[in-house]
Amino acid sequence: GFKGAWTLHYKSSDFEAIGDEAFTPPSKTTSFAFAWLEEKHLDNNVLLQLGLRAEYVDLEAQNNTDIPSYDFTPLSASVGFVWDYEPGYNLGFSMSVSQRAPSAAELYSNGPHIGTGTYEVGAIYDVEMHDDHIDVELSGVEPDIETSKNIDVTWRKFEGDFGFVISGFYNQIDNYYYLDNTGLFAEFAHDDHDEDEHHEGEEHHDEDEHHEDEEGHEEEHGEELPVYAYRQADVTLLGFESEFIYRINDSLKSKFFADYIHATFDDREVGKYLPRIPPMRAGLVFDYQTERFDTKLGITHYFEQDNVAELETSTDAYTLVDLNFNYYIEGVGNDLVLFAKGENLLDEEARVHSSFIKEEAPL
C-alpha cells in the first residue's frame, strides 16, 4: 500500500568572483545526495508521509593552499500526517530533523561585498582590531553542520466559495549560520581610475582633490565598510502564515493574508533577537477578472519591526497600495496584453527591514 520515490542528486559548482566584487576566494563545491520518500493511506481519511535524505558535501578553496577544505555529511528525516476529518477540510502535522552544510560564502568570505555595502568575513575566521586596522585570521575552529528540529501544523478548507490555509511552525536550530555585525569597520580601497570613468566629461576644480601623487602614480580612495562576520548560534524560530480566500462572484475574488516570524537566540537575554528578521505583515487583495481584462488591487501593511539585534536599528511601519490592470487583445498574435501598473500609490516612505541598505535604498 506504500507508494513513493528514490532520488539521486549530484551537483558540482565552480565559483569565482573577480574585481571589486571578489569578497570570497574561488571555490569548488561538490555534493551527492540520496533520498527516499514514501506515503500510505492508513485508512480513508489519514495519509502517512515519510522521508529520509543523506548527503555528502565537499568544499574546497581554489588557488589558496592556506585555506582548509571541508566535507560534511548532512542527514535528514521527516514524518507527517494529513487527516481529512470531513469533506473539504484537513489537518496536517509534520515533524522533521534536517541538517544543512554551510555554503562556500558562509565559510570563505573575506572581502568587501559591494551589493550590501559591507565587508563580509566567513565563519572560519577571527576578526580583531589591532591598533588602527582590522586583522582577519584563520581561527582553527571547525565549522559545524546546521541542525534544525521542526514542527509544522496546517489547517485547510479547500471547497466552496470560502477557503483558507492556516499554518504554524516551530524551528529549533543548532549551529545556525547568520551574519553578525561586529561593530568594526574595514577600509575598502579602490583606485581613482575607475571612479573617473563615471565622471567622464566633468571638470574637477577642487584643489584638495588629488588624483595623482608627485610621481604621477594613481592614488587610491579609502572607504570604510562595516564588518559583518558569519557566526553560528543556537536559535529558535516560530511563527504563522495564513490565507483566507472568498469568491464574491464568478468575476470577483478577495484574499486576506497575514504572516509573522519571531526569531531569537536561545542563550541571550540582551540582544536576543536575530538580525534582519522581516516584520509581521497583513494584506488584502481584490482580483476582478473578465474575458477581456482583469485588474488587481493589493493593500499590504508592514508592521513596525522593533525586535532588533545589537547594532541594528528598528524599521517603521508602512502600507503599500498597488494596482494592476491587464487588457487582452484578440486577433493579434497569441498573447498581446496592454497593461498599466501602479506601485506604492500612497507614496509611502517604505524601508525593507531585512535589507542591508535599507537606509540608502527605500522602496
Side-chain angles (χ1 to χ4, degrees), residues 40-61:
K40 178 182 180 179
H41 283 279
L42 301 182
D43 56 33
N44 291 331
N45 298 324
V46 179
L47 177 67
L48 168 66
Q49 299 174 318
L50 302 171
L52 291 172
R53 178 181 171 91
E55 189 175 7
Y56 174 79
V57 180
D58 182 78
L59 297 172
E60 182 181 354

Side-chain angles (χ1 to χ4, degrees), residues 285-289 294-298 322-326:
V285 177
F286 293 97
D287 192 351
Y288 187 81
Q289 294 187 342
D294 64 67
T295 185
K296 180 181 292 186
L297 172 67
D322 301 327
L323 180 63
N324 299 332
F325 178 84
N326 298 317

Side-chain angles (χ1 to χ4, degrees), residues 1-133:
F2 277 95
K3 62 178 181 179
W6 302 88
T7 73
L8 182 65
H9 169 96
Y10 168 76
K11 182 178 180 180
S12 180
S13 173
D14 288 306
F15 175 80
E16 181 178 6
I18 59 176
D20 286 345
E21 289 77 19
F23 66 97
T24 184
S27 62
K28 182 175 182 179
T29 303
T30 305
S31 64
F32 301 87
F34 182 73
W36 169 73
L37 304 170
E38 207 76 40
E39 66 180 25
K40 178 182 180 179
H41 283 279
L42 301 182
D43 56 33
N44 291 331
N45 298 324
V46 179
L47 177 67
L48 168 66
Q49 299 174 318
L50 302 171
L52 291 172
R53 178 181 171 91
E55 189 175 7
Y56 174 79
V57 180
D58 182 78
L59 297 172
E60 182 181 354
Q62 306 287 305
N63 307 329
N64 193 329
T65 57
D66 295 331
I67 301 178
S69 299
Y70 299 95
D71 59 81
F72 304 92
T73 54
L75 302 173
S76 301
S78 65
V79 57
F81 297 90
V82 180
W83 177 31
D84 296 312
Y85 63 92
E86 67 175 71
Y89 293 83
N90 67 29
L91 279 171
F93 175 80
S94 68
M95 297 178 62
S96 65
V97 177
S98 56
Q99 293 187 320
R100 183 184 73 89
S103 67
E106 289 171 329
L107 295 185
Y108 296 141
S109 292
N110 185 7
H113 193 306
I114 306 305
T116 59
T118 62
Y119 191 101
E120 287 191 10
V121 178
I124 63 174
Y125 295 104
D126 281 332
V127 184
E128 295 180 352
M129 173 69 79
H130 287 158
D131 298 326
D132 294 329
H133 65 279

